[in-house]
Amino acid sequence: NSAIQAGKWHQGAGMKAFYDILIVGAGHAGAQAAIALRQKKFEGSIGLVGNEKYPPYERPPLSKEYLAGDKPFERILLRPESFWPEREIDLLTGNRVSKIDPVAKKVTLTSDDEIGYGKLIWATGGSPRMLDCPGSQARNIHAVRSRADVDKIMAALPSVDKAVVVGGGYIGLEAAAVLTKLGKQVTIVESLDRVLSRVAGEPLSRFYEAEHRRQGVTIELEASVSGFETNDEGIATAVTLADGRTLAADMFVVGIGIIPETGPLVAAGAATGNGVDVDSHCRTSLDDIYAIGDCAAHSNAFADGAMIRLESVQNANDQAKVAALDIIGEEAEYDSVPWFWSNQYDLKLQTVGLSAGHDSHVVRGDPDSRSFSVIYYRDGKVVALDCVNATKDYVQGRKAVVEGLNLDKNELVDTDIPIKEVGVR
């Protein structure tokens, strides 16, 4: 649709003064909450507030197929443009909530418009964590969080030869892979001693480091950014590292995580820590206010009950369904097994469970074959699998994570034995 492509799409229904369900945040979580309510035959009014000017769209392709130019924006829309008005879901695009009054049950937008609500679902996700150092405001330093972020990167690419990616997590690695495929000379700068150190074990980290280097990417480990050199036009020309070295580049991409967007909830008195705290029904400490998705901290059984935030589509969708069911009075609790994926070059990584806190691991298969799995244990139980081009391992290993099985490690390393046939100790 040319209107969407031009960024001129808008919801024609107008803004009501009150919604039975007001959802703040039009990403995966917020959109899925609205969809789930209608699927469950909820007939009340639904308003979906989004700070972008577009209908809800998928986020994961931003650093993959969309940045690579393999998928136009229309193909990453969560639902066709006509879906929302057909189901009487008002998309209040281009709006941001600045204040919540939980007693009067109303929100104030940055436009000073006020909207009352019966129940409120907070699904705002987070804003990109950016560097705070000299030169970090230069206009060729980019995040990868929204369509606008990636559109800026794409617009600048024709004049880019060298790019520096700050952050060796999944977003940084995916962006580096795409930029490399597009013919750019890429350097990854990671402050810790390996990439993916917060989310994966060393075998996976070393495999991806080797793969990126094989593709021509330079990786600087234990390298902290101290600032950027800029020219008279306010454009960064080099990044300066803590050890004094400078890396010249035409473009800089920062992928170092997000800051949960919870300001109005905090100001309204909600219990918060790393995000806004929710119970197993996705309820916050404030009456009739739920929180879901990247900004919601919940007790997770797959993290030994720790309060964590999960930045994943799986978590967003599953929490959205739990909140919707709770709102309509059906029993539902969030207990989903976490899963994630990452596409880099021709490698498909599928992860199930949470490897943080593991005390041992097993490598199944040969990383040199570019098809293998890392299976993580804690206290003798399988807690997670990272599967690279090994979909069967991922599918069959899910049960071991859900049930906390102690799979026989000697059998597990034998790839001739399917995981579903590995003995339990």
Side-chain angles (χ1 to χ4, degrees), residues 11 87 170 175 212 241 296:
Q11 169 69 34
R87 282 152 186 81
Y170 287 123
H212 278 273
L241 304 182

Side-chain angles (χ1 to χ4, degrees), residues 24 29 121-127 145 258-262 265 271-278 284 290-298 308-311 315 319:
V24 182
I121 301 177
W122 192 262
T124 50
S127 55
R145 184 68 181 173
I258 67 167
I259 300 170
E261 290 267 15
T262 58
L265 277 178
T272 57
N274 175 25
V276 58
D277 294 348
V278 298
T284 70
Y290 296 74
I292 57 176
D294 290 3
C295 68
H298 61 281
I308 63 169
R309 288 187 306 104
L310 279 178
E311 297 171 17
N315 176 65
Q319 285 190 329

Side-chain angles (χ1 to χ4, degrees), residues 154-174:
M154 293 165 72
L157 283 176
S159 59
V160 170
D161 293 319
K162 292 184 179 180
V164 169
V165 176
V166 180
Y170 287 123
I171 294 292
L173 294 183
E174 288 166 1

